[in-house]
Amino acid sequence: MSDIASTDLSNLMIARRLMEIENNAELRRRGKHVDEKTALDYFGEDQMLISGSAPSDANPAAGPLPPIENIDIKLSDLHGKLQNLQNANTPKADIPEEGFSVTASQSVEIKLELRYRSNTALEGLVVHDQNYAESDRYLFKFADGSTFTILDKWTNKSTTIWGDPHVDVSDVGGNSDGDFKDLKASDDFTTFMLMDGTRVTFKAKDAGFIEQVDIFKGAQHVKGIGSDSKEFSPETGLFSTKVQNNEAFVANKTPIGDLIFAGGDGNDWFDAGSKLIWGKTTGPIVTQRPLATLEFYYKQTVSQSISVQTISREA
């Protein structure tokens, strides 16, 4: 392989890997499963490719590297430089006298945040707006029509139902710790029974998105419209801003479907036989409302950049 062809391949691979991080993030937002790989993993692999220090004793049975394919990622800047070089009026014999200098950089930003929240007693169900509803123990967040979070305010542990639909518990690594497909009794309805007797029933196909969420506590009822409903619009979707009372009839008419129960440290989910379905107990079991909760947030952001500069080698 010529020097210029080798340079082209290395540059395209580096840029493709950098852009692939964002592409994988977009696939996860759409509910697709993508193997976890951190930005630091990508960066280390890119550095080996640039320096030529990639392991040479790889398993031959694994076969050659896959071809550089178009995965809907724009490489316009880098590709333009390569195209200009190949289409230049410079005689072919002079092309090896030019090359590329590739510079990659990385920065890491760490953000720490502490929040203090007073846990005052709350009577019944309260709807604050289209996105937030609340009971004494739980906060319900309907984010965007396909993402719904149940936060146990007493333990500060949460469960997020997102995508088609996946289940993510906050104290287990990764963003997909379960799936509605794991439950077999119903393909249309899934009910979460909470530790204070609140019932949250999702109308959602096991391979679909949220159509409707019904929250029942005592005789009270809150209805939420999800993105997969024909009724959904930015104005009419998410929570209805009014709590309905004396709704026992509605509760009885709403199918339970698959049934799981909250337990453990607040976001562990069990079937009727007390078999753990999703989650892991990572903290104490709380049975009384704490006076206040101190929330700790940690966020790490890894940024990468790449620059390509044409180098002329004069005789």
Side-chain angles (χ1 to χ4, degrees):
M1 182 182 291
S2 67
D3 290 342
I4 188 64
S6 177
T7 302
D8 291 355
L9 180 60
S10 297
N11 291 336
L12 285 172
M13 177 65 81
I14 294 165
R16 178 178 182 271
R17 282 180 179 270
L18 291 173
M19 296 300 182
E20 187 180 356
I21 296 171
E22 177 59 28
N23 186 69
N24 288 346
E26 176 62 25
L27 290 175
R28 291 189 185 97
R29 286 192 289 270
R30 295 177 183 176
K32 304 295 184 181
H33 174 74
V34 180
D35 290 338
E36 293 286 343
K37 183 178 282 191
T38 67
L40 290 175
D41 292 334
Y42 283 113
F43 186 76
E45 293 174 6
D46 294 343
Q47 291 304 298
M48 287 193 295
L49 287 171
I50 294 171
S51 64
S53 60
S56 58
D57 57 346
N59 182 4
L65 288 174
I68 307 303
E69 299 174 350
N70 177 17
I71 57 170
D72 197 22
I73 293 175
K74 294 181 179 179
L75 302 176
S76 55
D77 294 339
L78 181 58
H79 184 268
K81 289 182 178 293
L82 299 173
Q83 192 94 11
N84 291 340
L85 177 63
Q86 292 170 348
N87 295 336
N89 294 327
T90 309
K92 294 285 186 180
D94 294 337
I95 289 180
E97 299 302 319
E98 297 192 9
F100 286 92
S101 170
V102 180
T103 303
S105 63
Q106 169 189 282
S107 64
V108 179
E109 177 185 0
I110 297 177
K111 181 180 180 181
L112 301 177
E113 185 177 348
L114 294 176
R115 298 179 188 174
Y116 176 87
R117 184 183 68 233
S118 176
N119 289 326
T120 56
L122 189 66
E123 193 70 30
L125 289 173
V126 176
V127 177
H128 298 288
D129 53 35
Q130 280 187 300
N131 295 103
Y132 289 95
E134 192 173 11
S135 68
D136 185 44
R137 178 158 184 170
Y138 294 93
L139 178 69
F140 307 99
K141 180 182 179 182
F142 212 162
D144 57 10
S146 62
T147 305
F148 188 99
T149 297
I150 302 170
L151 171 68
D152 184 342
K153 296 184 293 183
W154 294 9
T155 66
N156 206 36
K157 301 292 178 67
S158 65
T159 301
T160 299
I161 292 87
W162 64 277
D164 58 343
H166 304 294
V167 177
D168 175 35
V169 293
S170 61
D171 54 351
V172 175
N175 60 2
S176 181
D177 306 307
D179 196 288
F180 276 22
K181 299 185 188 71
D182 299 336
L183 309 174
K184 307 300 183 183
S186 172
D187 183 48
D188 300 292
F189 292 90
T190 302
T191 295
F192 291 65
M193 293 297 295
L194 307 185
M195 298 176 78
D196 65 350
T198 302
R199 168 186 166 186
V200 183
T201 296
F202 292 86
K203 182 181 181 182
K205 295 286 187 183
D206 284 354
F209 291 82
I210 297 173
E211 296 180 47
Q212 184 170 313
V213 181
D214 291 282
I215 304 174
F216 300 99
K217 184 172 176 59
Q220 293 183 302
H221 173 217
V222 172
K223 177 181 176 180
I225 300 298
S227 60
D228 225 27
S229 171
K230 294 179 180 179
E231 301 175 39
F232 182 83
S233 72
E235 294 75 29
T236 62
L238 310 181
F239 288 128
S240 167
T241 55
K242 185 177 180 181
V243 176
Q244 301 295 326
N245 293 297
N246 301 316
E247 290 291 275
F249 175 77
V250 175
N252 291 335
K253 294 288 287 185
T254 303
I256 290 178
D258 290 306
L259 179 61
I260 54 174
F261 299 83
D265 56 0
N267 66 342
D268 304 323
W269 300 97
F270 301 82
D271 65 12
S274 299
K275 177 184 177 182
L276 180 65
I277 304 299
W278 304 314
K280 179 181 180 182
T281 301
T282 59
I285 297 174
V286 179
T287 58
Q288 293 182 335
R289 181 194 313 107
L291 295 177
T293 302
L294 184 63
E295 301 174 354
F296 175 80
Y297 293 87
Y298 173 88
K299 181 179 181 181
Q300 176 175 302
T301 304
V302 179
S303 302
Q304 295 177 321
S305 64
I306 183 170
S307 61
V308 182
Q309 181 180 3
T310 302
I311 300 175
S312 297
R313 302 187 185 89
E314 298 181 359

